[in-house]
């Protein structure tokens, strides 16, 4: 799968988290984000982009669904927005 498509899908999923959604959507988002960021880390490693590898591994660990990090709704909204917008910006750079 093309990494640009993955970035776009992740960005949309994360931005949708800003709206009032059922709790299952947030669990789904965590799992999809972990898988997507893990793939992006792998792809970045194949392209020898070491900084991106570290960023994507960090994001995969932040969004992983197994040991949830309790940051509060407002902080998660801010993170979702920042990461979503950053993914969209990275599509054009």
């Amino acid at each position: 799968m093309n990494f640009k498509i993955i970035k776009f899908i992740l960005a949309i999923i994360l931005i949708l988290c800003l709206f009032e959604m059922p709790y299952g959507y947030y669990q789904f988002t965590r799992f999809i984000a972990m898988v997507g960021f893990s793939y992006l880390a792998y792809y970045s490693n194949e392209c020898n982009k070491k900084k991106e590898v570290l960023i994507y591994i960090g994001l995969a660990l932040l969004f992983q669904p197994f040991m949830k990090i309790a940051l509060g709704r407002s902080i998660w909204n801010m993170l979702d927005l920042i990461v979503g917008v950053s993914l969209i910006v990275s599509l054009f750079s």
Side-chain angles (χ1 to χ4, degrees), residues 3-93:
F3 74 98
K4 288 186 177 187
I5 294 171
I6 293 174
K7 284 184 176 183
F8 182 74
I9 291 171
L10 285 173
I12 297 301
I13 289 173
L14 290 173
I15 290 171
L16 285 175
C17 286
L18 299 175
F19 300 102
E20 194 66 35
M21 300 295 233
Y23 184 71
Y25 179 79
Y26 300 109
Q27 291 176 322
F28 168 77
T29 299
R30 285 178 172 269
F31 181 76
I32 294 299
M34 180 193 66
V35 171
F37 288 129
S38 297
Y39 178 78
L40 290 173
Y42 171 78
Y43 182 82
S44 296
N45 188 49
E46 293 294 312
C47 295
N48 290 322
K49 297 178 180 178
K50 300 301 179 192
K51 288 182 184 177
E52 288 184 21
V53 171
L54 294 175
I55 291 169
Y56 291 134
I57 288 173
L59 288 171
L61 291 173
L62 178 66
F63 285 98
Q64 56 80 27
F66 305 112
M67 293 182 355
K68 295 178 183 172
I69 300 170
L71 297 177
R73 174 93 173 155
S74 60
I75 294 175
W76 274 114
N77 281 344
M78 202 172 3
L79 283 171
D80 291 336
L81 183 62
I82 290 168
V83 173
V85 169
S86 298
L87 285 169
I88 291 173
V89 168
S90 74
L91 291 174
F92 300 105
S93 61

